Amino acid sequence: MTEELDLPGQDSDGGSEEVVLTPAELIERLEQAWMNEKFAPDLLESKPEIVECVMEQLDHMEENLRRAKKGDLKISIHRMEMERIRYVLSSYLRCRLMKIEKFFPHVLEKEKTRHEEEPSSLSPEEFAFAKEYMANTETYLRNVALKHMPPNLQKVDLLRSVPKPDLDSYVFLRVKERQENILVEPETDEQRKFSLVTREWRPSWRIRNPWLC
Amino acid sequence: MFCDRAIELVRELHRAPEGQLLAFNEDGLRQVLEEMKALYEQNQSDVNEAKSGGRSDLIPTIKFRHCSLLRNRRCIIAYLYDRLLRIRALRWEYGSVLPNILRFHMSAEEVEWFNHYKKSLATYMRSLGGEEGLDITQDMKPPKSLYIEVRCLKDYGEFEVDDGTSVLLKKNSQHFLPRWKCEPLIRQGVLEHVLW
């Protein structure tokens, strides 16, 4: 399959232009988004274009398999490929959903206070899901317990009760290109400067956001 | 001492092994709420006393009762929320239809919460594109092979495989079937993956 896929991208002016990807490149982007999401403690930027394109790709493959000659060996191999892609996509979306559910008040608050130009960490459907989850949980707690409590205790601030994602947790980085003099932990007295060289999985530096992955 | 019943609720959860859902302790909850009501009323009268009668020596007691009230509330919410998380996990483990034993352990409001949750999840999954969206509760493990050997644990009946042929799933029969078709049945306990 050598056809190319259109993916909305951004040029330097901030306008969108179509970025054309081969299926292999698309899957690579999916895998990268998946790894980043798995290793990051908080919810990362949503990638609805990737999800949409991968779904299209899977549908396409299914179509091709339906039309193929029965008993062809290629069918099994393509099926396996489809299974793997579907697994990665499902795992990616599950990971995101788990974080949305775990940090639901913070995720919604972040979305509420986001600026126009900032990219959203929630797709429209995830946003709807998060809102429903919050409403569902709040209604449940209110009806089962809170409304039976003394009047001054009936309000619970979920933003304070539900723990925030731990942005100080350690993350693994893979360096993609050589960078000189990266400042790690700039707030501390010992300001260490590193040269980061491409190597496999240098372990644990404390950084706020895995922006190198 | 105050908050005993509340701590019992939390301890009950702590004792239950990971993910297990015990019966909803309605009595326990009610008792904690009653204690909260009693504490609040005592505080109300003491606050009036302190204000009008100038009894500022009551203030430490008032503060103490308030702390107990906050503790009770925290324990109750922790108990309820932890149960919700366990119930949420059931959707991912068992699918949309829960076994009856588990339903009996849930309160009516928990069942309602569960129904809303699964509806939200279904809407989200359907929106993922394609004809029916993507069921992300499937494909929980990376695929190792295309076909797997399975043994039937219960009588299930006719089961249709992709190319139109169907298989009769009778108890103790073994089949070599496509993995993606078997996954839901394995999770429901109808089939068992046979590992050599």
Side-chain angles (χ1 to χ4, degrees):
Chain A
M1 281 185 280
T2 53
E3 63 194 84
E4 290 165 335
L5 296 156
D6 293 331
L7 202 68
Q10 295 239 298
D11 61 28
S12 50
D13 300 327
S16 326
E17 63 175 35
E18 302 263 299
V19 171
V20 175
L21 291 179
T22 62
E25 285 170 346
L26 172 68
I27 301 305
E28 201 185 304
R29 285 224 192 167
L30 170 68
E31 289 186 359
Q32 203 165 79
W34 175 56
M35 293 278 218
N36 281 343
E37 197 71 62
K38 283 219 142 205
F39 284 117
D42 59 340
L43 190 67
L44 298 177
E45 204 182 300
S46 78
K47 307 264 180 208
E49 345 66 69
I50 296 187
V51 175
E52 209 180 294
C53 286
V54 173
M55 287 298 293
E56 259 175 44
Q57 189 63 4
L58 284 173
D59 279 342
H60 207 86
M61 287 171 93
E62 183 76 50
E63 262 296 316
N64 284 346
L65 286 180
R66 254 199 288 259
R67 285 187 275 134
K69 211 160 50 159
K70 254 224 202 116
D72 198 348
L73 180 66
K74 281 190 281 191
I75 296 183
S76 306
I77 301 178
H78 278 297
R79 271 239 175 264
M80 200 61 195
E81 180 71 14
M82 276 178 68
E83 298 251 308
R84 289 201 190 101
I85 296 173
R86 210 178 18 233
Y87 167 74
V88 173
L89 183 62
S90 295
S91 184
Y92 169 65
L93 294 170
R94 270 198 296 270
C95 184
R96 288 182 62 84
L97 223 59
M98 273 198 315
K99 286 186 201 172
I100 291 173
E101 288 176 6
K102 193 167 175 187
F103 305 121
F104 66 96
H106 305 287
V107 163
L108 287 168
E109 183 68 19
K110 189 167 159 204
E111 182 64 18
K112 210 164 70 172
T113 55
R114 170 179 76 93
H115 293 297
E116 280 279 327
E117 320 85 50
E118 265 176 69
S120 174
S121 27
L122 293 170
S123 73
E125 296 81 20
E126 286 172 337
F127 184 51
F129 177 80
K131 279 197 295 191
E132 281 166 20
Y133 187 80
M134 175 133 168
N136 195 14
T137 308
E138 272 183 330
T139 309
Y140 170 78
L141 288 175
R142 191 175 46 240
N143 288 340
V144 176
L146 293 175
K147 77 177 182 198
H148 302 293
M149 290 190 185
N152 62 334
L153 290 170
Q154 287 186 4
K155 272 220 82 187
V156 172
D157 184 2
L158 288 173
L159 275 173
R160 283 186 54 200
S161 325
V162 176
K164 275 185 148 149
D166 182 10
L167 292 177
D168 285 333
S169 55
Y170 286 75
V171 289
F172 280 98
L173 310 178
R174 172 191 263 148
V175 180
K176 289 169 90 169
E177 45 181 70
R178 194 191 171 95
Q179 298 263 334
E180 300 290 340
N181 292 329
I182 301 295
L183 208 58
V184 179
E185 289 191 50
E187 294 107 28
T188 59
D189 285 335
E190 43 166 293
Q191 303 204 340
R192 296 177 290 168
K193 294 192 180 178
F194 291 93
S195 288
L196 294 175
V197 180
T198 319
R199 219 175 289 178
E200 292 290 324
W201 299 120
R202 294 286 295 283
S204 35
W205 278 315
R206 221 167 180 247
I207 70 171
R208 282 268 149 173
N209 276 303
W211 36 264
L212 281 175
C213 293
Chain B
M1 194 64 273
F2 298 143
C3 306
D4 267 349
R5 289 307 280 122
I7 296 182
E8 252 316 303
L9 282 180
V10 175
R11 215 178 266 140
E12 190 186 292
L13 279 180
H14 188 72
R15 272 193 225 116
E18 183 69 42
Q20 192 190 66
L21 191 72
L22 299 173
F24 186 75
N25 194 341
E26 205 163 324
D27 273 343
L29 181 67
R30 195 174 35 83
Q31 283 170 13
V32 181
L33 288 171
E34 275 169 11
E35 185 183 78
M36 285 180 81
K37 184 154 174 276
L39 284 170
Y40 180 70
E41 281 166 2
Q42 286 167 9
N43 256 6
Q44 286 280 57
S45 72
D46 275 5
V47 163
N48 286 335
E49 274 267 353
K51 272 204 238 169
S52 56
R55 298 273 315 273
S56 54
D57 60 318
L58 290 172
I59 292 184
T61 322
I62 293 171
K63 284 199 176 156
F64 177 70
R65 287 202 201 98
H66 188 68
C67 284
S68 304
L69 281 167
L70 289 174
R71 187 115 171 102
N72 273 339
R73 183 176 74 165
R74 187 173 173 177
C75 289
I76 287 182
I77 295 188
Y79 175 74
L80 296 174
Y81 189 65
D82 191 83
R83 282 182 64 92
L84 286 186
L85 293 180
R86 292 179 196 223
I87 292 171
R88 177 252 182 222
L90 294 178
R91 166 64 185 89
W92 289 81
E93 180 66 36
Y94 290 99
S96 303
V97 181
L98 293 182
N100 279 326
I101 320 168
L102 290 172
R103 286 179 137 249
F104 290 148
H105 285 181
M106 288 162 58
S107 71
E109 292 86 1
E110 284 178 332
V111 173
E112 205 184 311
W113 185 91
F114 178 78
N115 289 335
H116 283 148
Y117 177 74
K118 71 178 186 190
K119 195 159 141 231
S120 252
L121 186 61
T123 310
Y124 170 73
M125 294 197 294
R126 225 182 353 253
S127 75
L128 289 171
E131 296 165 3
E132 315 145 349
L134 180 69
D135 186 354
I136 56 177
T137 65
Q138 306 294 320
D139 304 302
M140 295 295 267
K141 294 213 178 77
K144 284 264 157 71
S145 64
L146 216 41
Y147 281 71
I148 51 171
E149 187 80 21
V150 287
R151 184 183 298 123
C152 203
L153 297 173
K154 315 182 197 169
D155 275 323
Y156 185 77
E158 293 276 319
F159 183 56
E160 202 184 301
V161 191
D162 266 341
D163 50 5
T165 55
S166 61
V167 178
L168 179 63
L169 294 178
K170 229 165 105 83
K171 189 166 173 187
N172 286 326
S173 61
Q174 275 191 220
H175 307 274
F176 192 58
L177 294 174
R179 195 193 59 85
W180 70 92
K181 284 251 144 186
C182 300
E183 213 182 291
L185 291 177
I186 293 177
R187 291 238 293 283
Q188 280 172 37
V190 175
L191 294 176
E192 176 189 60
H193 187 174
V194 177
L195 302 153
W196 300 108

